Short mmCIF file of all heavy atoms in Angstrom, two decimals:
data_model
loop_
_atom_site.label_atom_id
_atom_site.label_comp_id
_atom_site.label_asym_id
_atom_site.label_seq_id
_atom_site.Cartn_x
_atom_site.Cartn_y
_atom_site.Cartn_z
N GLU F 3 109.03 69.27 72.12
CA GLU F 3 108.11 68.48 72.95
C GLU F 3 108.37 68.74 74.45
O GLU F 3 107.40 68.82 75.22
CB GLU F 3 108.36 66.99 72.60
CG GLU F 3 107.76 66.64 71.23
CD GLU F 3 108.15 65.22 70.83
OE1 GLU F 3 108.83 64.49 71.60
OE2 GLU F 3 107.85 64.88 69.64
N ARG F 4 109.59 68.88 74.81
CA ARG F 4 110.00 69.11 76.24
C ARG F 4 109.43 70.49 76.68
O ARG F 4 108.79 70.56 77.72
CB ARG F 4 111.47 69.08 76.40
CG ARG F 4 111.95 69.17 77.79
CD ARG F 4 113.48 68.83 77.89
NE ARG F 4 114.29 69.89 77.31
CZ ARG F 4 114.84 70.83 78.02
NH1 ARG F 4 114.60 70.93 79.31
NH2 ARG F 4 115.62 71.75 77.42
N GLN F 5 109.63 71.48 75.87
CA GLN F 5 109.09 72.83 76.26
C GLN F 5 107.57 72.88 76.24
O GLN F 5 106.93 73.57 77.07
CB GLN F 5 109.69 73.94 75.33
CG GLN F 5 111.21 74.09 75.50
CD GLN F 5 111.61 74.50 76.91
OE1 GLN F 5 110.87 75.06 77.65
NE2 GLN F 5 112.86 74.20 77.26
N LEU F 6 106.99 72.26 75.31
CA LEU F 6 105.52 72.19 75.22
C LEU F 6 104.91 71.47 76.45
O LEU F 6 103.86 71.88 76.99
CB LEU F 6 105.03 71.60 73.94
CG LEU F 6 105.10 72.52 72.72
CD1 LEU F 6 104.66 71.79 71.44
CD2 LEU F 6 104.27 73.83 72.89
N ALA F 7 105.57 70.40 76.90
CA ALA F 7 105.12 69.70 78.06
C ALA F 7 105.16 70.61 79.27
O ALA F 7 104.25 70.66 80.12
CB ALA F 7 105.98 68.44 78.31
N ARG F 8 106.29 71.39 79.41
CA ARG F 8 106.35 72.36 80.52
C ARG F 8 105.29 73.45 80.39
O ARG F 8 104.65 73.85 81.37
CB ARG F 8 107.78 73.03 80.43
CG ARG F 8 108.89 72.21 80.86
CD ARG F 8 110.15 72.94 80.71
NE ARG F 8 111.28 72.21 81.36
CZ ARG F 8 112.53 72.63 81.29
NH1 ARG F 8 112.86 73.65 80.59
NH2 ARG F 8 113.44 71.97 82.00
N LEU F 9 105.12 73.88 79.18
CA LEU F 9 104.10 74.98 78.93
C LEU F 9 102.70 74.44 79.30
O LEU F 9 101.95 75.18 79.97
CB LEU F 9 104.20 75.41 77.46
CG LEU F 9 103.35 76.64 77.12
CD1 LEU F 9 103.80 77.86 77.82
CD2 LEU F 9 103.48 76.80 75.59
N ASP F 10 102.36 73.27 78.81
CA ASP F 10 101.09 72.71 79.13
C ASP F 10 100.85 72.52 80.60
O ASP F 10 99.75 72.83 81.10
CB ASP F 10 100.86 71.43 78.36
CG ASP F 10 100.74 71.65 76.84
OD1 ASP F 10 100.45 72.75 76.39
OD2 ASP F 10 100.98 70.63 76.12
N ALA F 11 101.85 72.07 81.28
CA ALA F 11 101.74 71.91 82.75
C ALA F 11 101.52 73.21 83.43
O ALA F 11 100.68 73.31 84.30
CB ALA F 11 103.04 71.24 83.31
N ASP F 12 102.27 74.27 83.00
CA ASP F 12 102.01 75.59 83.61
C ASP F 12 100.67 76.13 83.24
O ASP F 12 99.99 76.77 84.04
CB ASP F 12 103.11 76.56 83.15
CG ASP F 12 104.43 76.32 83.84
OD1 ASP F 12 104.44 75.59 84.85
OD2 ASP F 12 105.46 76.90 83.45
N GLN F 13 100.21 75.93 82.04
CA GLN F 13 98.93 76.45 81.62
C GLN F 13 97.80 75.81 82.44
O GLN F 13 96.82 76.47 82.87
CB GLN F 13 98.66 76.14 80.08
CG GLN F 13 97.46 76.80 79.48
CD GLN F 13 96.20 76.01 79.57
OE1 GLN F 13 96.26 74.80 79.58
NE2 GLN F 13 95.08 76.72 79.55
N VAL F 14 97.86 74.50 82.74
CA VAL F 14 96.85 73.86 83.55
C VAL F 14 96.80 74.49 84.90
O VAL F 14 95.69 74.56 85.48
CB VAL F 14 97.16 72.36 83.64
CG1 VAL F 14 96.31 71.62 84.68
CG2 VAL F 14 96.93 71.69 82.27
N GLN F 15 97.93 74.85 85.49
CA GLN F 15 98.01 75.43 86.80
C GLN F 15 98.00 76.95 86.85
O GLN F 15 98.11 77.51 87.92
CB GLN F 15 99.27 74.98 87.48
CG GLN F 15 99.41 73.51 87.59
CD GLN F 15 100.75 73.16 88.15
OE1 GLN F 15 101.21 73.60 89.19
NE2 GLN F 15 101.52 72.24 87.50
N ALA F 16 97.84 77.65 85.69
CA ALA F 16 98.01 79.08 85.60
C ALA F 16 97.15 79.85 86.58
O ALA F 16 97.58 80.81 87.17
CB ALA F 16 97.68 79.48 84.20
N ALA F 17 95.95 79.35 86.86
CA ALA F 17 95.01 80.07 87.73
C ALA F 17 95.49 80.00 89.20
O ALA F 17 95.19 80.95 90.02
CB ALA F 17 93.63 79.51 87.63
N THR F 18 96.33 79.08 89.52
CA THR F 18 96.75 78.93 90.92
C THR F 18 98.25 79.38 91.13
O THR F 18 98.69 79.42 92.29
CB THR F 18 96.68 77.45 91.44
OG1 THR F 18 97.45 76.61 90.59
CG2 THR F 18 95.16 77.00 91.33
N LEU F 19 98.93 79.72 90.11
CA LEU F 19 100.40 80.08 90.16
C LEU F 19 100.46 81.60 90.20
O LEU F 19 99.61 82.34 89.65
CB LEU F 19 101.15 79.51 88.94
CG LEU F 19 101.23 78.04 88.84
CD1 LEU F 19 101.91 77.64 87.55
CD2 LEU F 19 102.03 77.43 90.02
N ASP F 20 101.49 82.14 90.83
CA ASP F 20 101.81 83.56 90.85
C ASP F 20 102.13 83.99 89.44
O ASP F 20 103.13 83.53 88.83
CB ASP F 20 102.93 83.78 91.82
CG ASP F 20 103.37 85.25 91.79
OD1 ASP F 20 102.52 86.15 91.64
OD2 ASP F 20 104.59 85.46 91.99
N PRO F 21 101.38 84.89 88.82
CA PRO F 21 101.67 85.33 87.44
C PRO F 21 103.12 85.92 87.27
O PRO F 21 103.70 85.64 86.27
CB PRO F 21 100.58 86.40 87.15
CG PRO F 21 99.56 86.12 88.16
CD PRO F 21 100.17 85.53 89.35
N ALA F 22 103.58 86.67 88.26
CA ALA F 22 104.89 87.24 88.15
C ALA F 22 105.95 86.17 88.15
O ALA F 22 106.90 86.21 87.34
CB ALA F 22 105.14 88.25 89.32
N ALA F 23 105.82 85.19 88.97
CA ALA F 23 106.78 84.06 89.01
C ALA F 23 106.72 83.30 87.74
O ALA F 23 107.72 82.83 87.17
CB ALA F 23 106.51 83.15 90.21
N LEU F 24 105.52 83.07 87.21
CA LEU F 24 105.36 82.35 85.90
C LEU F 24 106.01 83.12 84.79
O LEU F 24 106.66 82.59 83.95
CB LEU F 24 103.83 82.12 85.70
CG LEU F 24 103.43 81.03 84.76
CD1 LEU F 24 104.05 79.69 85.13
CD2 LEU F 24 101.87 80.92 84.80
N ARG F 25 105.76 84.42 84.73
CA ARG F 25 106.43 85.25 83.68
C ARG F 25 107.99 85.15 83.79
O ARG F 25 108.63 85.02 82.84
CB ARG F 25 105.98 86.74 83.80
CG ARG F 25 104.67 87.01 83.20
CD ARG F 25 104.35 88.50 83.11
NE ARG F 25 104.44 89.18 84.40
CZ ARG F 25 103.44 89.30 85.28
NH1 ARG F 25 102.23 88.78 85.02
NH2 ARG F 25 103.62 89.94 86.41
N GLU F 26 108.45 85.24 85.01
CA GLU F 26 109.94 85.18 85.16
C GLU F 26 110.46 83.82 84.70
O GLU F 26 111.47 83.66 84.10
CB GLU F 26 110.27 85.41 86.64
CG GLU F 26 111.79 85.37 86.94
CD GLU F 26 112.63 86.26 86.09
OE1 GLU F 26 112.11 87.39 85.72
OE2 GLU F 26 113.76 85.97 85.78
N ARG F 27 109.71 82.76 85.06
CA ARG F 27 110.14 81.41 84.66
C ARG F 27 110.20 81.30 83.10
O ARG F 27 111.18 80.78 82.57
CB ARG F 27 109.11 80.34 85.17
CG ARG F 27 109.44 78.94 84.70
CD ARG F 27 108.33 77.95 85.18
NE ARG F 27 108.03 78.08 86.57
CZ ARG F 27 106.98 77.58 87.18
NH1 ARG F 27 106.11 76.92 86.44
NH2 ARG F 27 106.82 77.69 88.44
N TRP F 28 109.15 81.79 82.44
CA TRP F 28 109.19 81.70 80.94
C TRP F 28 110.14 82.76 80.37
O TRP F 28 110.70 82.48 79.30
CB TRP F 28 107.72 81.83 80.43
CG TRP F 28 107.11 80.50 80.60
CD1 TRP F 28 106.32 80.08 81.60
CD2 TRP F 28 107.38 79.30 79.80
NE1 TRP F 28 106.02 78.75 81.45
CE2 TRP F 28 106.70 78.27 80.37
CE3 TRP F 28 108.22 79.09 78.72
CZ2 TRP F 28 106.70 76.98 79.82
CZ3 TRP F 28 108.25 77.86 78.18
CH2 TRP F 28 107.51 76.79 78.71
N ASN F 29 110.38 83.82 81.02
CA ASN F 29 111.39 84.76 80.54
C ASN F 29 112.74 84.08 80.47
O ASN F 29 113.49 84.15 79.53
CB ASN F 29 111.39 85.96 81.43
CG ASN F 29 112.29 87.08 80.91
OD1 ASN F 29 112.45 87.30 79.73
ND2 ASN F 29 113.00 87.77 81.82
N ARG F 30 113.06 83.39 81.58
CA ARG F 30 114.33 82.67 81.66
C ARG F 30 114.43 81.52 80.60
O ARG F 30 115.46 81.40 79.92
CB ARG F 30 114.60 82.07 83.04
CG ARG F 30 114.99 83.03 84.10
CD ARG F 30 115.40 82.40 85.40
NE ARG F 30 114.58 81.33 85.80
CZ ARG F 30 113.53 81.39 86.61
NH1 ARG F 30 113.14 82.56 87.08
NH2 ARG F 30 112.85 80.40 86.95
N ARG F 31 113.31 80.80 80.42
CA ARG F 31 113.34 79.74 79.48
C ARG F 31 113.50 80.25 78.04
O ARG F 31 114.24 79.68 77.24
CB ARG F 31 112.08 78.92 79.56
CG ARG F 31 112.09 78.07 80.80
CD ARG F 31 110.84 77.21 80.92
NE ARG F 31 110.88 76.44 82.13
CZ ARG F 31 109.83 75.86 82.66
NH1 ARG F 31 108.63 76.01 82.17
NH2 ARG F 31 109.99 75.12 83.77
N LEU F 32 112.84 81.34 77.68
CA LEU F 32 112.95 81.90 76.34
C LEU F 32 114.29 82.45 76.10
O LEU F 32 114.87 82.23 75.01
CB LEU F 32 111.84 82.95 76.16
CG LEU F 32 110.42 82.48 76.14
CD1 LEU F 32 109.46 83.62 76.18
CD2 LEU F 32 110.13 81.53 75.02
N LEU F 33 114.86 83.18 77.06
CA LEU F 33 116.27 83.62 76.91
C LEU F 33 117.26 82.46 76.69
O LEU F 33 118.15 82.52 75.85
CB LEU F 33 116.68 84.48 78.10
CG LEU F 33 116.17 85.93 78.07
CD1 LEU F 33 116.48 86.56 79.42
CD2 LEU F 33 116.75 86.68 76.94
N THR F 34 117.07 81.41 77.46
CA THR F 34 117.95 80.30 77.36
C THR F 34 117.85 79.66 75.93
O THR F 34 118.81 79.32 75.27
CB THR F 34 117.61 79.20 78.39
OG1 THR F 34 117.83 79.78 79.65
CG2 THR F 34 118.51 77.98 78.22
N LEU F 35 116.65 79.58 75.41
CA LEU F 35 116.42 79.05 74.10
C LEU F 35 117.08 79.92 73.01
O LEU F 35 117.77 79.43 72.09
CB LEU F 35 114.94 78.86 73.71
CG LEU F 35 114.31 77.69 74.35
CD1 LEU F 35 112.76 77.77 74.20
CD2 LEU F 35 114.82 76.40 73.70
N VAL F 36 116.95 81.23 73.17
CA VAL F 36 117.57 82.16 72.24
C VAL F 36 119.12 82.05 72.28
O VAL F 36 119.80 81.99 71.29
CB VAL F 36 117.16 83.57 72.46
CG1 VAL F 36 118.03 84.60 71.70
CG2 VAL F 36 115.74 83.74 72.11
N GLU F 37 119.69 81.90 73.48
CA GLU F 37 121.12 81.76 73.63
C GLU F 37 121.59 80.36 73.07
O GLU F 37 122.67 80.31 72.47
CB GLU F 37 121.51 81.83 75.12
CG GLU F 37 121.32 83.21 75.67
CD GLU F 37 121.45 83.28 77.18
OE1 GLU F 37 121.62 82.27 77.81
OE2 GLU F 37 121.46 84.43 77.68
N ASP F 38 120.80 79.37 73.28
CA ASP F 38 121.17 78.01 72.82
C ASP F 38 121.00 77.90 71.28
O ASP F 38 121.72 77.09 70.62
CB ASP F 38 120.39 76.92 73.50
CG ASP F 38 120.72 76.77 74.93
OD1 ASP F 38 121.77 77.32 75.40
OD2 ASP F 38 120.05 76.12 75.69
N PHE F 39 119.99 78.52 70.75
CA PHE F 39 119.68 78.42 69.32
C PHE F 39 119.49 79.79 68.70
O PHE F 39 118.37 80.23 68.36
CB PHE F 39 118.37 77.58 69.15
CG PHE F 39 118.45 76.28 69.88
CD1 PHE F 39 117.79 76.05 71.05
CD2 PHE F 39 119.24 75.20 69.36
CE1 PHE F 39 117.88 74.89 71.75
CE2 PHE F 39 119.27 73.99 70.04
CZ PHE F 39 118.56 73.79 71.25
N PRO F 40 120.59 80.54 68.56
CA PRO F 40 120.51 81.98 68.20
C PRO F 40 120.22 82.28 66.69
O PRO F 40 119.98 83.42 66.34
CB PRO F 40 121.92 82.51 68.54
CG PRO F 40 122.80 81.37 68.37
CD PRO F 40 121.95 80.21 68.75
N LYS F 41 120.17 81.28 65.82
CA LYS F 41 120.16 81.61 64.40
C LYS F 41 118.76 81.87 63.83
O LYS F 41 118.61 82.12 62.63
CB LYS F 41 120.81 80.43 63.66
CG LYS F 41 122.34 80.35 63.95
CD LYS F 41 122.99 79.71 62.87
CE LYS F 41 124.46 79.73 63.22
NZ LYS F 41 125.35 79.85 62.10
N GLN F 42 117.74 81.77 64.63
CA GLN F 42 116.44 81.92 64.02
C GLN F 42 115.61 82.98 64.86
O GLN F 42 114.57 82.60 65.45
CB GLN F 42 115.65 80.64 64.07
CG GLN F 42 116.33 79.56 63.26
CD GLN F 42 115.57 78.25 63.26
OE1 GLN F 42 114.47 78.14 63.71
NE2 GLN F 42 116.20 77.20 62.86
N PRO F 43 115.97 84.26 64.80
CA PRO F 43 115.28 85.28 65.54
C PRO F 43 113.96 85.73 64.93
O PRO F 43 113.30 86.59 65.50
CB PRO F 43 116.31 86.39 65.66
CG PRO F 43 117.05 86.26 64.37
CD PRO F 43 117.13 84.77 64.10
N ARG F 44 113.64 85.25 63.79
CA ARG F 44 112.48 85.86 63.10
C ARG F 44 111.14 85.70 63.85
O ARG F 44 110.23 86.48 63.70
CB ARG F 44 112.33 85.30 61.68
CG ARG F 44 112.11 83.83 61.66
CD ARG F 44 112.06 83.40 60.14
NE ARG F 44 112.11 81.95 60.07
CZ ARG F 44 113.25 81.27 59.76
NH1 ARG F 44 114.36 81.88 59.50
NH2 ARG F 44 113.25 79.96 59.75
N ASN F 45 111.00 84.72 64.71
CA ASN F 45 109.76 84.55 65.49
C ASN F 45 109.57 85.61 66.51
O ASN F 45 108.48 85.79 67.03
CB ASN F 45 109.72 83.18 66.18
CG ASN F 45 109.45 82.06 65.21
OD1 ASN F 45 109.27 82.27 64.05
ND2 ASN F 45 109.47 80.88 65.70
#
């Protein structure tokens, strides 16, 4: 729920945000999730 709220907020603003900065933000978030919860890499 927390990550979807962040994702939805970014999606609403996507047209006005820098795509490179947005990609970097989500790159960091996804890496953090994999590091925090490493047992399910199938997705």
Side-chain angles (χ1 to χ4, degrees):
E3 290 171 4
R4 186 168 71 93
Q5 294 298 336
L6 284 176
R8 288 176 167 175
L9 187 62
D10 291 340
D12 283 349
Q13 191 268 334
V14 167
Q15 301 175 51
T18 62
L19 297 173
D20 174 34
L24 201 51
R25 279 191 303 273
E26 179 58 30
R27 178 186 306 165
W28 281 99
N29 186 36
R30 285 190 316 269
R31 286 180 180 162
L32 293 171
L33 279 173
T34 299
L35 282 169
V36 169
E37 290 169 356
D38 290 348
F39 308 103
K41 295 203 178 216
Q42 298 178 14
R44 62 183 168 258
N45 286 358

